[in-house]
Amino acid sequence: MQKSLKKIVFILVLAVILPSGIFIFYQFLSLDQNERIIRDIYSKQLDAILYSINQYSEDVASSWATDIEIIFNKNNSIKASVEELNKFSADFSSIESLQLFDLSDNPLLLYNPHKEKMEASDFSKSSLKKDQLLNYFKNGYRKIEPVQLQNEIMHLVFYVNFGENNYLAALQISPQKFVNEIMGPKIKEMTQDQFAISISKITDGTNIYESDDDSEISNSFQTKSLWMIPIYQLGIDLKGKSIDELIQERTLTNLILILGVSFVLLSGIYFVMVNLKKEFQLAQMKSDFISNVSHELRTPLALISMFSETLEMGRVKSDSKKQEYYSIISREANRLGRIVNTILNFSKMDAGKRKFNFTEMDLNIITDSVTKDYNHHMVKNGFELKKSFFSAELIFMGDFEAVSEAIVNLLDNAVKYSKDEKIIEILTGVDKDSVFLEIKDHGIGISDEHQKKVFDRFYRVSTGLVHDTKGTGLGLTLVYQIMEAHKGRVDLKSKLGKGSTFKLLFPKS
Ligand code: ADP
């Protein structure tokens, strides 16, 4: 039996615990990796948003360059274009001025709608790569290059073509206005209250634009410089909870889930093991029961057949001997009957098929009657029965046969599990709502550990006298079931080596 249990445990470990353990361990290790993956996903998503904001700023600049080129081409002269340039610049307050240079850097137009006089800017010391720009332009791609000349003075530099010639145009813009008037509305439209975007100066970090009241570049999850105004940077984060908070929350949820799953798994395994152990114990007890019962039946049968054969053969001459043999046969037949009854009653009760016939009765009277019948057996075994009955009637509703059976089982046990001190005390009385009967012996007693289990079916304590004593392990189960059927209970007080007291409590009628 133990071997089979070990085998099942081994299979359980191999088939369930090991794979689940590895899986949980792997999940636990991947928490960090998951965090990185989530961070990566967010990062890519936010990058894409920053990219499209930048793309938009470039599209605006590019459309301005096209508009300016169209104005010059339409009028076919720089001077004649000024009027339309006025209209154009009036639409976009972020445009400060426009300068046009020929390919030898001679200024051809110094247009500033806010100033009467303006000086041509000198781009020679700037980072501007004119040749590269021109090369691109000749190949059909108008690149717009942002150039910073002094603090906060930004030019968008690009080439235009009209009258068969290429010219370098430098459109000065106010970065602050560009951000607030051109980019602000677009950012609002794109983020749609999901993201918080801010724009700040790279040099000192001062915010010049916030899509949300508390979107600070310092809190941003991700930053990128602004293509058209590289002195500024864009910052982005989720609105409400920050991505770090979200990731932490997710990680925590995953961790709790993993721990929860582990707990459920371990509890499941624990319950399976406990139940398995119980099942195996029950199987063991059943097999013990069969061997005990066979033994119990064989002994009286052997005695009956031996003495009846002896009598039959007429070998016994003296009457007293004959009498002795008859009483042995009758005693053993009674014993057989009791065993068979116990088993039958147990199986009826277990199947819920036992019928009870409840009538009003006096516990004193039924106890007296049972003990009188049983007294003969006790005296023969050298026991003394001390009775102490309550002075008044102890009326309750009971089934005479079942209650007698419970008392006989307890007396039987008191005899079976006593050693030298052969005194059994029997006491009746009243508790609050019950009438009771106590049977006390001075026998081997039952340890605390076994007291809970002795009422279980087939259970027999495997130490002390029990191996030498015959039994089915069903006597106390029957007592318990009978008391349950009477809506009463059985209490047990016992000390190993000192004796046991069983108390039957019936509800008062
Ligand atoms: P059994 O047929 O083995 O006596 P029971 O169900 O009547 O079965 O009792 C279960 C076990 O409880 C016994 O095997 C014995 O170990 C223990 N037991 C019962 N009554 C007593 C008692 N009066 N003193 C000591 N042990 C007892």
Side-chain angles (χ1 to χ4, degrees):
M1 210 66 78
Q2 209 60 20
K3 236 179 171 177
S4 317
L5 186 67
K6 272 188 189 153
K7 208 167 153 188
I8 290 179
V9 171
F10 181 70
I11 292 171
L12 206 68
V13 167
L14 217 66
V16 182
I17 306 176
L18 208 66
S20 332
I22 291 173
F23 176 73
I24 289 170
F25 186 65
Y26 173 74
Q27 285 297 318
F28 192 77
L29 289 185
S30 340
L31 274 181
D32 195 41
Q33 202 186 346
N34 289 346
E35 202 173 303
R36 252 182 286 133
I37 292 171
I38 298 169
R39 191 176 280 274
D40 237 37
I41 292 170
Y42 274 122
S43 170
K44 283 198 179 116
Q45 198 184 351
L46 298 189
D47 235 19
I49 292 168
L50 292 186
Y51 182 86
S52 51
I53 292 174
N54 260 330
Q55 188 65 57
Y56 175 72
S57 72
E58 192 176 291
D59 288 350
V60 170
S62 184
S63 76
W64 285 350
T66 312
D67 286 351
I68 289 166
E69 195 178 49
I70 290 171
I71 290 172
F72 286 127
N73 273 307
K74 216 161 76 185
N75 297 293
N76 212 9
S77 113
I78 294 173
K79 257 203 179 131
S81 304
V82 170
E83 202 173 313
E84 255 185 82
L85 282 176
N86 277 336
K87 273 192 222 152
F88 171 72
S89 64
D91 286 344
F92 302 106
S93 64
S94 44
I95 295 178
E96 300 274 355
S97 72
L98 175 68
Q99 303 171 55
L100 208 64
F101 300 90
D102 62 16
L103 296 186
S104 322
D105 288 342
N106 297 315
L108 303 180
L109 171 73
L110 299 171
Y111 170 76
N112 189 330
H114 313 292
K115 270 190 199 166
E116 291 230 328
K117 265 196 150 189
M118 83 169 273
E119 282 189 10
S121 306
D122 179 9
F123 291 101
S124 59
K125 288 192 186 89
S126 73
S127 59
L128 180 65
K129 292 184 188 95
K130 278 191 289 182
D131 295 344
Q132 204 182 43
L133 275 193
L134 185 59
N135 217 1
Y136 285 148
F137 188 63
K138 281 179 181 162
N139 284 304
Y141 165 53
R142 180 173 16 237
K143 185 174 180 335
I144 296 174
E145 191 158 317
V147 179
Q148 182 192 12
L149 283 184
Q150 293 154 33
N151 260 354
E152 296 286 305
I153 296 185
M154 287 297 308
H155 287 89
L156 301 176
V157 181
F158 50 89
Y159 275 94
V160 289
N161 174 284
F162 68 94
E164 307 289 312
N165 290 316
N166 294 329
Y167 300 92
L168 184 81
L171 189 67
Q172 189 195 333
I173 56 165
S174 148
Q176 181 86 45
K177 284 182 186 165
F178 186 81
V179 164
N180 286 333
E181 286 164 17
I182 309 288
M183 308 209 43
K186 187 69 184 175
I187 288 175
K188 274 244 147 58
E189 183 193 315
M190 280 175 69
T191 54
Q192 288 197 346
D193 285 344
Q194 286 183 36
F195 304 100
I197 293 201
S198 53
I199 300 177
S200 70
K201 284 186 198 165
I202 289 184
T203 43
D204 58 9
T206 43
N207 258 16
I208 55 160
Y209 172 83
E210 291 159 1
S211 72
D212 191 59
D213 285 346
D214 44 36
S215 59
E216 285 270 340
I217 204 100
S218 54
N219 297 336
S220 296
F221 180 72
Q222 199 129 317
T223 54
K224 273 263 151 32
S225 70
L226 193 57
W227 293 348
M228 289 299 106
I229 318 171
I231 53 168
Y232 287 173
Q233 64 177 348
L234 282 162
I236 188 166
D237 205 339
L238 288 186
K239 238 178 129 169
K241 277 180 190 149
S242 74
I243 289 182
D244 280 329
E245 279 168 346
L246 274 183
I247 292 174
Q248 268 168 19
E249 230 169 60
R250 251 190 106 102
T251 310
L252 190 71
T253 319
N254 285 345
L255 195 68
I256 291 172
L257 264 174
I258 291 174
L259 291 179
V261 168
S262 316
F263 176 74
V264 171
L265 188 76
L266 287 177
S267 318
I269 289 166
Y270 173 76
F271 283 119
V272 168
M273 296 301 287
V274 167
N275 280 317
L276 263 181
K277 210 173 156 194
K278 263 193 192 156
E279 284 304 315
F280 275 102
Q281 271 170 353
L282 194 66
Q284 180 71 50
M285 284 194 288
K286 274 183 186 162
S287 104
D288 287 353
F289 165 77
I290 290 167
S291 80
N292 280 337
V293 168
S294 323
H295 185 75
E296 282 251 315
L297 295 178
R298 211 181 300 132
T299 321
L301 275 177
L303 285 174
I304 291 170
S305 98
M306 186 177 90
F307 285 106
S308 51
E309 269 171 31
T310 316
L311 286 169
E312 206 181 21
M313 280 183 218
R315 283 204 205 130
V316 190
K317 298 288 176 247
S318 94
D319 277 351
S320 69
K321 257 291 176 253
K322 273 186 193 162
Q323 203 52 47
E324 189 191 329
Y325 286 5
Y326 286 138
S327 73
I328 290 175
I329 291 170
S330 136
R331 191 190 68 209
E332 292 305 319
N334 274 339
R335 197 168 130 196
L336 259 182
R338 271 216 311 279
I339 297 166
V340 173
N341 267 344
T342 304
I343 295 168
L344 283 180
N345 281 342
F346 165 77
S347 92
K348 258 198 221 160
M349 198 95 103
D350 211 39
K353 285 187 185 148
R354 182 160 178 181
K355 298 256 178 323
F356 292 94
N357 179 20
F358 292 108
T359 51
E360 230 171 44
M361 59 183 71
D362 182 347
L363 189 57
N364 280 338
I365 294 176
I366 188 170
T367 312
D368 195 41
S369 144
V370 174
T371 46
K372 267 187 189 138
D373 288 348
Y374 201 77
N375 202 37
H376 170 71
H377 179 68
M378 305 245 289
V379 172
K380 231 171 43 196
N381 284 290
F383 279 82
E384 182 192 341
L385 186 64
K386 286 187 179 168
K387 297 190 219 176
S388 165
F389 286 168
F390 190 66
S391 51
E393 283 183 332
L394 299 172
I395 304 299
F396 72 104
M397 293 296 288
D399 176 300
F400 191 88
E401 203 190 312
V403 177
S404 310
E405 196 180 325
I407 301 173
V408 169
N409 276 339
L410 293 181
L411 289 173
D412 231 11
N413 281 349
V415 171
K416 278 199 297 191
Y417 302 111
S418 284
K419 274 156 80 182
D420 304 330
E421 207 174 337
K422 298 191 170 189
I423 298 169
I424 293 170
E425 290 158 58
I426 194 156
L427 173 95
T428 59
V430 207
D431 266 359
K432 263 186 282 163
D433 303 321
S434 1
V435 295
F436 69 84
L437 158 76
E438 258 183 29
I439 295 177
K440 181 176 182 181
D441 64 55
H442 301 271
I444 60 170
I446 306 167
S447 69
D448 287 349
E449 169 203 353
H450 290 114
Q451 281 179 29
K452 286 174 225 129
K453 298 180 186 161
V454 287
F455 296 99
D456 291 351
R457 58 192 62 181
F458 311 123
Y459 194 85
R460 307 196 75 213
V461 181
S462 55
T463 50
L465 269 185
V466 86
H467 279 308
D468 320 324
T469 326
K470 290 163 205 113
T472 55
L474 290 179
L476 286 182
T477 314
L478 259 178
V479 173
Y480 185 88
Q481 287 174 338
I482 290 170
M483 293 316 291
E484 230 181 14
H486 281 78
K487 298 201 167 53
R489 62 169 208 274
V490 48
D491 284 355
L492 163 62
K493 270 190 207 140
S494 185
K495 244 187 165 175
L496 202 60
K498 291 272 184 305
S500 315
T501 305
F502 286 87
K503 186 174 182 179
L504 303 181
L505 294 115
F506 300 90
K508 259 190 220 168
S509 183

